[in-house]
């Protein structure tokens, strides 16, 4: 099959480099991204062909950075996750057209599988033998899983204070887990040094231009599920800000290659107040990100120096979106609200997004006629600790109807009649 990724281009100065495991511009040290031949894609790609493709993110392979015509994707079944119409949640918030993109049901239970599937495919094509990452948790899970699938060695770097479930959910695939005593930003700094020193494929360092492209499929799938239309407004959680930028890019690309009508999608970003460098800059009306030391239960979003922060700010401002920062209490309430209204259990990052949705709805910042899509990016079973002491619905009883009756606090039956 044909490939359309042509070169790497600097997001700041536009200088180009050949496709390869590099991530900074030769000229200005700016970050690189993939450049495609969009005219060729527009000429070749039809909706029907995508619809006939695999039920995974690889149905959009023309818009992903494959290095060779015979590249075989490393695919553990990621993507084509449900777009759920959220009627009960919408009603609760006074909205009319609300959808949840439930990306918590990917194989390693977060959206990171999209990015890692693309990066691992590139790493294998480039001949690397070791797959690595600096992670706030979910990325480590996904890298370990994809390395197993591809037959590569995995070394994942995490902050030592990570949630226990996220450590198990990496460990089971057999990687080397390096728990670093420090914040994610310390972990990331170390990873950058290791990438240079050891020549490993760090999916979010030297393979970052490839890695980041995977998240575009979160825009493609939503547009396809809406009958090849972009929504009016999307609400996206932000850590480094890459996910938000790539969702925005994905909708633009679909219009550029003629698969949807052009439309300006409002892009809003959500962070936890305890780590909100991007939202804080938005609130202060500046482009300057001031680094923060994270202090929040939303550990998967806890990046104090967000690499894509300035780009995310630009996407939000230029689309007339909003930045919202929510407290840890609001995060827990957000997790419960989504579960109680829609039957979906998300991790703390999803609690951030739902809490941001609620805040925007309460502020009247959402138009009744807008089609709003909320991105739920990770699974609740990864962060059960967040709910500890917050759910009070267990009643312990003896094994009899009488005991149950007492617990229910009703007297529908005469105790003698139901004695067992
Ligand atoms: C990594 C992550 C994000 C955000 O990622 P960025 O691209 O760094 O902004 C959102 N949600 C979850 C669950 C994540 O693991
Ligand atoms: Zn440059």
């Amino acid at each position: 099959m044909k490939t359309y990724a042509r070169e790497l281009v600097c997001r700041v100065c536009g200088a180009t480099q050949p496709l390869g495991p590099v991530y900074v511009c030769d000229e200005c040290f700016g970050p690189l991204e993939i450049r495609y031949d969009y005219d060729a894609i527009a000429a070749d790609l039809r909706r029907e062909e995508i619809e006939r493709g695999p039920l995974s993110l690889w149905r959009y392979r023309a818009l992903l950075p494959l290095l060779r015509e015979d590249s075989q994707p490393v695919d553990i079944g990621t993507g084509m996750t449900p777009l759920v119409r959220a009627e009960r949640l919408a009603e609760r918030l006074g909205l009319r057209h609300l959808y949840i993109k439930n990306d918590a049901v990917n194989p390693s239970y977060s959206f990171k599988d999209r990015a890692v599937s693309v990066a691992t495919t590139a790493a294998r094509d480039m001949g690397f033998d070791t797959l690595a990452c600096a992670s706030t948790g979910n990325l480590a899970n996904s890298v370990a899983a994809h390395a197993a699938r591809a037959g590569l060695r995995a070394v994942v770097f995490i902050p030592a204070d990570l949630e226990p479930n996220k450590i198990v959910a990496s460990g089971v695939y057999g990687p080397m887990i390096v728990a670093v005593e420090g914040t994610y930003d310390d972990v990331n700094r170390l990873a950058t040094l290791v990438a240079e020193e050891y020549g490993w494929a760090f999916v979010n360092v030297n393979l970052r231009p490839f890695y980041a492209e995977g998240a575009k499929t979160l825009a493609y799938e939503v547009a396809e599920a809406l009958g090849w239309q972009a929504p009016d407004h999307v609400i996206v959680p932000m850590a480094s800000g890459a996910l938000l930028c790539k969702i925005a890019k994905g909708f633009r690309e679909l219009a550029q290659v003629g698969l949807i009508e052009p439309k300006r999608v409002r892009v809003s970003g959500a962070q936890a107040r305890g780590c909100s460098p991007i939202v804080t800059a938005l609130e202060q009306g500046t482009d300057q990100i001031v680094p923060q030391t994270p202090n929040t239960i939303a550990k998967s979003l806890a990046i104090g120096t967000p690499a894509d922060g300035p780009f995310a700010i630009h996407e939000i401002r230029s689309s007339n979106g909003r930045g919202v920062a929510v407290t840890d209490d609001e995060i827990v309430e957000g997790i419960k609200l989504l579960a109680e209204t829609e039957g979906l259990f998300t991790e703390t990052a999803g609690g951030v997004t739902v809490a941001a949705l609620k805040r925007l709805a309460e502020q009247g910042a959402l138009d009744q006629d807008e089609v709003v899509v909320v991105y739920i990016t990770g699974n609740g079973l990864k962060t059960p600790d967040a709910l500890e002491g917050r759910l009070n619905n267990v009643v312990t009883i003896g094994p009899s109807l009488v005991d149950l009756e007492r617990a229910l606090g009703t007297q529908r039956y005469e105790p003698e009649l139901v004695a067992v």
Side-chain angles (χ1 to χ4, degrees):
M1 254 190 270
K2 277 166 96 171
T3 60
Y4 301 91
R6 293 292 177 260
E7 56 194 354
L8 291 164
V9 55
C10 175
R11 293 164 75 186
V12 177
C13 78
T16 61
Q17 291 188 58
L19 291 173
V22 285
Y23 62 107
V24 282
C25 175
D26 275 347
E27 309 278 328
C28 76
F29 301 106
L32 302 175
E33 70 176 347
I34 311 280
R35 173 175 285 166
Y36 298 84
D37 182 348
Y38 290 117
D39 292 340
I41 299 173
D44 292 349
L45 190 61
R46 296 289 166 268
R47 291 175 182 173
E48 300 72 39
E49 188 189 326
I50 294 170
E51 288 164 357
R52 276 196 306 272
L55 278 174
S56 83
L57 80 163
W58 290 102
R59 71 210 267 111
Y60 305 105
R61 65 182 284 155
L63 290 153
L64 294 172
L66 287 170
L67 289 167
R68 297 203 305 255
E69 306 217 332
D70 63 352
S71 289
Q72 288 300 317
V74 179
D75 185 5
I76 59 175
T78 298
M80 292 308 275
T81 54
L83 183 69
V84 182
R85 180 128 203 194
E87 284 177 354
R88 281 176 34 82
L89 180 57
E91 198 184 307
R92 188 77 75 88
L93 300 177
L95 304 173
R96 296 210 347 244
H97 308 287
L98 178 65
Y99 293 84
I100 304 290
K101 178 63 170 169
N102 182 17
D103 230 35
V105 297
N106 278 310
S108 83
Y109 305 104
S110 85
F111 96 93
K112 291 293 198 299
D113 286 336
R114 296 176 185 274
V116 177
S117 184
V118 173
T120 309
T121 303
R124 199 169 61 180
D125 283 347
M126 291 173 189
F128 285 100
D129 61 7
T130 301
L131 199 66
C133 66
S135 174
T136 56
N138 286 321
L139 182 56
N141 298 171
S142 186
V143 162
H146 283 83
R149 174 79 178 179
L152 300 172
R153 184 159 72 117
V155 185
V156 299
F157 292 73
I158 56 171
D161 72 345
L162 209 57
E163 299 98 330
N165 284 27
K166 284 188 178 155
I167 296 176
V168 172
S170 290
V172 70
Y173 306 106
M176 177 177 179
I177 302 178
V178 184
V180 179
E181 288 165 344
T183 64
Y184 171 80
D185 296 294
D186 298 322
V187 176
N188 195 41
R189 254 189 307 278
L190 175 61
T192 308
L193 297 175
V194 177
E196 271 166 33
E197 200 70 25
Y198 289 76
W200 294 342
F202 270 83
V203 298
N204 58 337
V205 182
N206 48 348
L207 269 73
R208 192 170 178 86
F210 293 83
Y211 161 87
E213 290 293 284
K216 297 189 309 186
T217 58
L218 271 170
Y220 306 157
E221 289 179 17
V222 163
E224 184 180 348
L226 292 174
W228 295 106
Q229 289 183 61
D232 297 303
H233 195 161
V234 294
I235 303 177
V236 182
M238 300 187 290
S240 73
L243 168 65
L244 180 137
C245 293
K246 292 299 170 171
I247 289 174
K249 180 181 177 186
F251 289 120
R252 277 197 296 274
E253 285 182 330
L254 288 183
Q256 191 165 355
V257 301
L259 290 171
I260 63 170
E261 289 297 316
K263 178 182 209 172
R264 192 181 69 168
V265 181
R266 287 176 75 193
V267 181
S268 290
Q271 294 198 296
R273 184 48 81 191
C275 183
S276 53
I278 302 175
V279 173
T280 301
L282 279 163
E283 287 167 349
Q284 295 177 347
T286 153
D287 293 341
Q288 295 299 313
I289 304 265
V290 180
Q292 294 184 2
T293 302
N295 179 14
T296 169
I297 57 170
K299 294 190 195 294
S300 55
L301 302 182
I303 297 185
T305 55
D308 282 70
F311 300 101
I313 287 173
H314 174 75
E315 292 291 357
I316 294 169
R317 280 212 189 106
S318 64
S319 71
N320 195 28
R322 300 291 182 90
V324 184
V326 298
T327 65
D328 282 2
D329 274 341
E330 286 178 280
I331 294 169
V332 173
E333 290 311 310
I335 292 173
K336 288 167 68 178
L337 179 62
L338 182 66
E340 290 170 7
T341 54
E342 298 299 334
L344 301 174
F345 183 21
T346 183
E347 68 150 274
T348 45
V352 169
T353 321
V354 173
L357 168 77
K358 181 162 180 271
R359 185 89 78 69
L360 290 173
E362 285 167 359
Q363 290 172 347
L366 302 173
D367 192 327
Q368 281 269 318
D369 296 321
E370 273 187 330
V371 173
V372 180
V373 174
V374 173
Y375 284 94
I376 295 301
T377 47
N379 195 292
L381 291 174
K382 295 203 188 212
T383 60
D385 304 6
L387 295 171
E388 196 157 317
R390 304 296 286 259
L391 306 175
N392 302 309
N393 33 15
V394 177
V395 278
T396 304
I397 63 166
S400 79
L401 280 178
V402 178
D403 288 315
L404 176 63
E405 274 306 308
R406 204 169 289 134
L408 288 172
T410 62
Q411 294 293 320
R412 274 189 303 135
Y413 302 105
E414 290 298 328
E416 310 83 84
L417 298 178
V418 294
V420 257

